[in-house]
Amino acid sequence: MKNAELVKRDLAVLWHPCSQMKDHDPELAESLAMIPIKSGAGVWLEDFEGKRYLDAISSWWVNLFGHSHPWINQAIKAQLDRLEHVMLGGLTHESALLLAEKLVEITPPGLDKCFYADNGSAAVEVALKMSFHYWRNSGQSQKTKFITLENSYHGETLGALAVGAVDLYKNTYAPLLMEVITVPGPDCFFRESGESWEAYSLRRFAEMEQVLAQHAESVCAVIIEPLVQCAGSMRMYHPIYLKLLRAACDKYQVHLIADEIAVGFGRTGTLFACEQAAISPDFMCLSKGLTGGYLPLSAVMTSNQIYAAFYDDYQNLSAFLHSHSYTGNALGCRAALATIELFQQQDVLAANRGLAAQMAQATAGFAEHPHIAEVRQTGMIVAIELIQDKAGRVAYPWQQRRGLQVYKYALQHGVLLRPLGNVIYFMPPYVINEEEIALMTEVAWQGIQLAVRD
Ligand SMILES: *Cc1c(COP(=O)(O)O)cnc(C)c1O
């Protein structure tokens, strides 16, 4: 099939995620091309006519070691010839078991039980339900609320959407969502000039402490994205906030849910972002990079203590009766095992420190630009925030879709970016090399020039 035919047939039947489909209408002057992908290898994707695109965003943050990685490919093929899937109620299999053991081993101390789900949003739902249900089983059924941070994102299903706070995704559905307590966040974009990330994040904790002091009695858990609010424009903060939050959650008897769906598996420089604050949450949600970007799978890690509150005689009806048909899918678990093996075969985190330094170097001058508010970085995530008026801190109106112009320019020049509003970011697979970093950053720079020229 050729590109054009594929796109035409696609638009006739396929409704794409997170897209205004009218943007892709070929009749429109400003039409956005739909890019048909035939194959992928390493950081490169290729269409049906041989044009290549550097996947600078790891296909929505899922891919860790490049597309079509031989090690992960062979692991899935071997699994496929043995067992593709079996229900996990009453049955078990080797890959589900080995992966659970491995996750218990590599996640922060105290996370000793693993519950599987199918995707990130489902993992968030599981953590919310488990936290509520734990308190109920412990005789504290007055605990029904959740605390979340401004600008946070936890997925698209109704429970996950309710504990998120990105207006663009949430507002339309507001009448359908449970009420949550939203607390101003530690997002360092708003620090005073000259103020350090640490000082700002520390200062911002005061409001969280106050809300916990006031509402702890009715609160099940605080849910948080450790260190980087990814869907919320890649906004970043200092680990001190996590440290203080862990202590406060203990003090006020509230669970801490760490949503590491996007930041887990090395994105922030450590295997899990929580490690930078040396904390263990009560629940840790994992997905995206878990399978190296191959298959939908998620896991909720929690403690023996929480598990014990559900462990009882059947007649007491205290079990966690949550399931998904594909819970613990064998192919997904095997892909995850192979992915984690790659971390253990080479010192990936050390190599990433080199790549992160190269990305910092390649974008070092960007912040001088009159329409770039800042360039921020945490580990393998680099974000460039465009701004209309730098001195007055006035954002470009979202309606102007400046980031979209960078997206289009970059596609023409062989780089797949997918800006979040006015924020251009890089979150590449860990197999990117220096030359590819240079290309990715140079194309973004040229695209930015174009997008801000009037
Ligand atoms: C992507 C994401 C989710 C949702 O995961 P899906 O697999 O897309 O449902 C939840 N939380 C965070 C932090 C995410 O980045």
Side-chain angles (χ1 to χ4, degrees), residues 60-61 118-122 124 153-157 160 225 228 230-231 259-263 287-288:
W60 266 345
W61 327 338
D118 302 352
N119 58 59
S121 303
V124 169
Y153 179 86
H154 298 290
E156 299 293 344
T157 55
E225 292 160 274
V228 187
C230 292
D259 176 352
E260 293 229 13
I261 290 165
V263 295
S287 189
K288 291 207 165 106

Side-chain angles (χ1 to χ4, degrees), residues 46-275:
E46 191 169 326
D47 76 7
F48 288 73
E49 289 163 13
K51 184 168 168 61
R52 303 206 306 157
Y53 301 91
L54 193 164
D55 186 354
I57 56 164
S58 298
S59 285
W60 266 345
W61 327 338
V62 299
N63 190 289
L64 295 187
F65 294 105
H67 296 274
S68 199
H69 192 285
W71 181 259
I72 306 175
N73 285 7
Q74 66 74 26
I76 296 173
K77 286 174 185 165
Q79 177 70 52
L80 186 59
D81 285 335
R82 198 157 148 192
L83 175 70
E84 78 299 341
H85 177 75
V86 68
M87 59 189 265
L88 216 61
L91 306 177
T92 192
H93 59 83
E94 207 175 35
S95 298
L97 162 68
L98 293 176
L99 179 60
E101 283 180 349
K102 187 52 85 177
L103 289 173
V104 165
E105 178 194 320
I106 65 175
T107 51
L111 297 172
D112 293 323
K113 288 286 187 292
C114 170
F115 189 96
Y116 291 119
D118 302 352
N119 58 59
S121 303
V124 169
E125 302 284 346
V126 165
L128 298 174
K129 285 176 69 178
M130 266 186 188
S131 173
F132 163 80
H133 199 162
Y134 168 88
W135 294 115
R136 191 185 151 89
N137 282 352
S138 313
Q140 299 216 50
S141 46
Q142 85 289 353
K143 280 184 177 282
T144 57
K145 297 208 172 75
F146 294 92
I147 294 177
T148 188
L149 292 184
E150 262 178 356
N151 191 47
S152 56
Y153 179 86
H154 298 290
E156 299 293 344
T157 55
L158 294 177
L161 198 57
V163 293
V166 177
D167 290 347
L168 179 65
Y169 307 123
K170 183 171 183 177
N171 281 359
T172 308
Y173 306 100
L176 306 182
L177 304 177
M178 69 172 163
E179 273 183 46
V180 298
I181 303 171
T182 307
V183 175
D187 172 358
C188 289
F189 186 69
F190 298 108
R191 73 195 184 281
E192 299 295 325
S193 82
E195 191 175 20
S196 70
W197 282 27
E198 181 168 8
Y200 184 75
S201 296
L202 182 76
R203 172 155 79 79
R204 297 292 277 181
F205 189 74
E207 310 208 46
M208 174 64 86
E209 170 94 36
Q210 214 171 31
V211 168
L212 277 168
Q214 195 184 339
H215 297 282
E217 191 60 18
S218 63
V219 169
C220 301
V222 179
I223 181 166
I224 190 163
E225 292 160 274
L227 302 189
V228 187
Q229 296 187 311
C230 292
S233 302
M234 297 292 164
R235 291 286 178 71
M236 299 173 183
Y237 60 91
H238 192 274
I240 187 78
Y241 194 90
L242 296 173
K243 224 181 204 15
L244 294 169
L245 182 59
R246 174 68 276 180
C249 285
D250 287 341
K251 176 174 167 196
Y252 293 106
Q253 297 268 299
V254 164
H255 290 145
L256 176 58
I257 303 172
D259 176 352
E260 293 229 13
I261 290 165
V263 295
F265 296 99
R267 292 290 183 197
T268 66
T270 42
L271 193 55
F272 299 102
C274 281
E275 292 171 27

Side-chain angles (χ1 to χ4, degrees), residues 22 42 84 101 118 139 142 187 352 372 400 420 423 447 451 453:
K22 189 175 177 185
E84 78 299 341
E101 283 180 349
D118 302 352
Q142 85 289 353
D187 172 358
N352 282 359
I372 294 179
Q400 293 180 3
L420 295 153
V423 175
R453 76 191 183 287

Side-chain angles (χ1 to χ4, degrees), residues 8-22:
K8 184 156 176 259
R9 285 169 58 176
D10 173 288
L11 292 174
V13 294
L14 234 161
W15 191 343
H16 288 256
C18 202
S19 302
Q20 171 49 265
M21 292 307 294
K22 189 175 177 185

Side-chain angles (χ1 to χ4, degrees), residues 37-51:
I37 298 301
K38 182 180 177 191
S39 61
V43 297
W44 294 97
L45 297 167
E46 191 169 326
D47 76 7
F48 288 73
E49 289 163 13
K51 184 168 168 61

Side-chain angles (χ1 to χ4, degrees), residues 65 69 341-349:
F65 294 105
H69 192 285
E341 281 158 12
L342 287 172
F343 277 100
Q344 296 179 335
Q345 282 173 11
Q346 316 133 14
D347 195 344
V348 173
L349 298 176

